[in-house]
Amino acid sequence: MSFDIWKPLYVDDFDCEKYLYHYTNFDTAIKIIHSNTLLFSSVSKTNDTSESKIKIGFEYSKTCNQDLYKDMIYKITDYLKKYTQIVQLLCLSMDTKISESERKKYLAVMSHKDVYYDVSGRGFALPRMWAQYANNNEGVCFVFNKAKLLEQVKSKIAFSKSATVKYKKFYNKYIITVDRMKSLYDKISLLENGSLTLLDMIQKDKDFLNYNLFEKLDDWKNEHEYRIIALIDKKDSRMPVSQMASYLEGIVVGEKMDKAYEQTIKLLSSSINPKCEVKRIQFDSRMCKVI
């Protein structure tokens, strides 16, 4: 197993684009390992309620028939509320990106020995994530090879997009022009069109995609989120990404996890990927390390 997985953030050749991380509780981790599969979740299931609401606005028009204008707004809004339920997300964390000046400042105050062990800032060493998503440090963080995971997603899913989430003080709105409103209204009016209109918007309108699926408020910036989105055919299903062993490269267990539970994780993970290392994270006032 490559040492890169556990490499400190501040070494010269650290590659912050190589890995992605997924935090969860012990019970869910067992299900994921046993099934050898990751599952996407509906955008409506995110813990930020504002995130699941489509952020759009409509261009005002004095010349358009007002009854038609109101009907277009109603139909477009109703359609998006209905069909955003087919949008699913796979939410992951990334390694912290630091500047050269930040790296030098860190190295100047750390002891020579600590530099080789302190994994602070790594995607598996984010205190808020351990507290919020990994059962207050009793859960698990999976370490995935980013390129291999994205390759697996693309091979299994007809439509997907992935990008780093951008954090802002306020959400932007995607403004739909009157001409675009008329086009959407006509498409939505065709009942057989179904989800294809939403697919068209996501594929062709970069602002719609970014404002509604790759932006979050600053409150969440410590998640360091990288996101993969997909469209599904059925609202009540969850998109699977199988063969997790092919992109799983490590597992970190919380510092409060019971030793017996840690052993269970080790035994199960070795059954699907014998090369997968399992380490325990430790936080203290001076540094963070995995053992």
Side-chain angles (χ1 to χ4, degrees):
M1 183 60 65
S2 172
F3 172 70
D4 284 354
I5 299 177
W6 316 116
K7 185 181 291 185
L9 186 70
Y10 300 92
V11 296
D12 289 329
D13 59 345
F14 182 79
D15 182 2
C16 64
E17 297 291 339
K18 189 170 183 178
Y19 300 106
L20 292 171
Y21 309 89
H22 181 66
Y23 291 82
T24 190
N25 59 48
F26 174 79
D27 291 340
T28 302
I30 293 297
K31 293 176 183 178
I32 290 173
I33 298 171
H34 181 72
S35 65
N36 199 19
T37 300
L38 276 181
L39 293 175
F40 279 70
S41 296
S42 170
V43 67
S44 63
K45 301 295 185 182
T46 58
N47 52 10
D48 178 4
T49 57
S50 62
E51 187 179 0
S52 62
K53 300 176 177 66
I54 293 294
K55 294 167 278 295
I56 59 172
F58 298 94
E59 181 184 38
Y60 178 71
S61 173
K62 293 181 179 179
T63 58
C64 182
N65 178 283
Q66 290 303 297
D67 288 336
L68 174 61
Y69 180 78
K70 291 177 181 178
D71 192 44
M72 287 192 296
I73 290 177
Y74 170 78
K75 183 160 284 189
I76 292 170
T77 303
D78 186 65
Y79 168 84
L80 290 175
K81 285 181 179 178
K82 177 181 178 182
Y83 276 94
T84 49
Q85 303 305 310
I86 68 171
V87 178
Q88 295 209 344
L89 311 174
L90 189 56
C91 301
L92 306 132
S93 291
M94 305 180 300
D95 289 305
T96 305
K97 295 182 180 180
I98 60 170
S99 66
E100 181 62 18
S101 61
E102 288 173 321
R103 188 182 75 84
K104 289 181 178 179
K105 184 178 180 180
Y106 169 86
L107 293 175
V109 299
M110 291 297 289
S111 70
H112 178 74
K113 181 179 179 181
D114 288 347
V115 167
Y116 295 98
Y117 295 99
D118 187 8
V119 293
S120 299
R122 289 296 310 272
F124 57 76
L126 304 176
R128 176 190 173 154
M129 299 299 288
W130 280 105
Q132 185 166 344
Y133 298 102
N135 195 27
N136 195 25
N137 291 276
E138 293 182 352
V140 165
C141 179
F142 292 100
V143 182
F144 299 130
N145 181 292
K146 179 180 178 180
K148 291 180 180 179
L149 170 57
L150 293 179
E151 182 181 358
Q152 185 68 16
V153 169
K154 290 177 181 178
S155 70
K156 299 294 182 181
I157 297 173
F159 174 81
S160 65
K161 293 282 186 180
S162 60
T164 301
V165 169
K166 293 184 177 180
Y167 299 97
K168 299 194 172 185
K169 294 186 182 300
F170 306 100
Y171 279 123
N172 291 324
K173 277 190 176 181
Y174 172 78
I175 304 299
I176 303 178
T177 65
V178 173
D179 288 342
R180 184 64 169 144
M181 287 172 66
K182 292 176 180 178
S183 175
L184 288 172
Y185 179 80
D186 290 340
K187 288 182 178 181
I188 292 168
S189 296
L190 300 173
L191 295 179
E192 68 273 13
N193 187 268
S195 61
L196 293 180
T197 297
L198 181 59
L199 176 61
D200 181 70
M201 291 184 74
I202 289 177
Q203 286 182 316
K204 294 182 178 179
D205 299 323
K206 184 177 180 180
D207 287 341
F208 177 84
L209 179 68
N210 290 338
Y211 294 170
N212 287 283
L213 296 171
F214 291 103
E215 282 191 0
K216 295 185 76 169
L217 297 178
D218 278 346
D219 303 51
W220 306 91
K221 64 183 179 181
N222 289 332
E223 292 185 344
H224 297 228
E225 186 176 344
Y226 186 91
R227 174 171 289 183
I228 307 172
I229 68 163
L231 297 188
I232 62 170
D233 296 326
K234 298 178 181 179
K235 299 177 187 177
D236 57 350
S237 63
R238 295 180 65 185
M239 186 75 74
V241 188
S242 58
Q243 299 178 33
M244 185 180 72
S246 66
Y247 50 88
L248 174 67
E249 299 210 0
I251 297 176
V252 184
V253 300
E255 64 178 353
K256 294 182 181 179
M257 179 180 282
D258 186 281
K259 291 288 186 180
Y261 289 178
E262 179 180 0
Q263 187 62 24
T264 300
I265 294 290
K266 288 181 177 180
L267 290 172
L268 285 176
S269 63
S270 65
S271 69
I272 66 167
N273 184 352
K275 295 182 179 180
C276 176
E277 283 190 287
V278 178
K279 289 184 176 283
R280 177 181 289 262
I281 197 161
Q282 286 187 344
F283 293 96
D284 62 37
S285 58
R286 185 170 55 89
M287 63 184 291
C288 172
K289 61 183 178 180
V290 287
I291 56 174

